[in-house]
Amino acid sequence: MEDVVVQTVLITFFVLSLIMVLEYLNVLTVGHVHSFMHRNTKLQIVIAALLGIVPGCVGSFTAVSLYTHDVIGFGALLANLIATTGDEAFLMVTVMPDKALVIFGLLLVFAVVAGYAANAFSLRKLNQCGQEGHFVLHTHHDNHRHQSLRGDVLENLKHVSAHRLILLLSITTFIVLTLCGFFKEHHHGGVEHEDGIFTSMTITSLLLAVVALFITLRVPEHFLEDHIWHHVVGKHFMKVLAWTSVTLTAIFVIDNVFDLKGWVTSFSAGNVYFFSVLAAIIIGLIPVSGPHLIFITLYCSGVMPFGALLANCIVQDGHGAIPLFAESKKDFFVVKGIKAGFAAVAGVVGWFFI
């Protein structure tokens, strides 16, 4: 249960810090970068897919944050979540580098095709996250970015507001806990991967925290109140925290009640191909890194066919989709449903060609 608390804090802080940085960059560029991404729906699909291929959950957290703020469309989100394999990518690169490159290449192709198909069927209008009011520019302040972002650090500390003090203490505490190893990664499913204090997730979180600390120290009261406190904290904090903890707790209970590895192994016994693919798709629906490691170990041991592993990689998205579930249950299930359909097709094709 300790892992649930650790992962909840880490994911929540990561997502909120990321949104804070994106908010800062939006004002710094007077909205030009976000408007460019918003206008270029075809280009954003490729960019989102490439973000998804990056090992770990960082690329997916970024894509989900951009989607929930209406910077990228549904096609780009779908492309990202098909391309990503979360933390499992690190293990695949380690134990099966040649096959990992094949899987990443196939996922990238599937992701781009699915993204363009989603836009072709007008699914880009699906966004149900209620993004109005997010990443907005306030005319009297933000159109003059120097006025909006350049505060006096000493003055901010000398006349520190309650909200700024809370943010400074929270971010500093997070940085100290990270450096002390509080967010150390543990083993998942009996398989070692990125075990240690400084993993890709903790390092990225630490860097984001440092940037968030700088922003909190530097920006004037307007930006802190309107963009950080009212938007990042007010609109996202409790939602992300609550649903992340509920999701991870439910997965923890399932993982301890059911023998997932034994269940998948029994499905794979006797090389029953389609049952293996079915198991891969069902387990792939779980929105967290860990259970999917089963398929990598079974494939490496010769028990699981490649088609089933590929199907699981298509459906699963590590921790990346948890913030999406927090913002919109409908969008989460639509994405998972489409990914399951692609995985089933890939599994059938794999029967004949792999």
Side-chain angles (χ1 to χ4, degrees), residues 300-328:
C300 291
S301 63
V303 177
M304 180 69 63
F306 181 81
L309 174 61
L310 180 61
N312 178 261
C313 288
I314 293 172
V315 182
Q316 68 106 339
D317 31 53
H319 292 88
I322 291 179
L324 177 64
F325 184 76
E327 297 287 350
S328 172

Side-chain angles (χ1 to χ4, degrees), residues 85-120:
T85 52
D87 292 341
E88 282 73 8
F90 293 107
L91 183 63
M92 285 193 288
V93 170
T94 302
V95 301
M96 41 180 278
D98 294 341
K99 288 294 184 181
L101 290 177
V102 173
I103 289 174
F104 296 158
L106 290 172
L107 289 177
L108 187 60
V109 172
F110 292 154
V112 173
V113 170
Y116 285 127
N119 281 0

Side-chain angles (χ1 to χ4, degrees), residues 222-243:
H222 153 73
F223 187 93
L224 184 115
E225 290 294 329
D226 290 350
H227 291 275
I228 298 178
W229 191 262
H230 291 152
H231 173 205
V232 180
V233 178
K235 292 185 178 181
H236 294 283
F237 174 68
M238 284 307 300
K239 189 184 294 185
V240 174
L241 178 66
W243 283 108

Side-chain angles (χ1 to χ4, degrees), residues 251-324:
I251 292 169
F252 173 83
V253 172
I254 292 172
D255 193 36
N256 282 271
V257 171
F258 300 101
D259 181 13
L260 294 180
K261 186 172 183 178
W263 183 68
V264 172
T265 304
S266 66
F267 262 67
S268 306
N271 195 29
V272 184
Y273 183 85
F274 289 106
F275 283 111
S276 298
V277 172
L278 178 62
I281 293 174
I282 292 173
I283 299 299
L285 297 174
I286 301 174
V288 69
S289 290
H292 317 295
L293 293 169
I294 298 169
F295 295 92
I296 301 172
T297 56
L298 290 176
Y299 173 76
C300 291
S301 63
V303 177
M304 180 69 63
F306 181 81
L309 174 61
L310 180 61
N312 178 261
C313 288
I314 293 172
V315 182
Q316 68 106 339
D317 31 53
H319 292 88
I322 291 179
L324 177 64

Side-chain angles (χ1 to χ4, degrees), residues 337-348:
I338 295 173
K339 277 154 59 90
F342 266 88
V345 171
V348 172

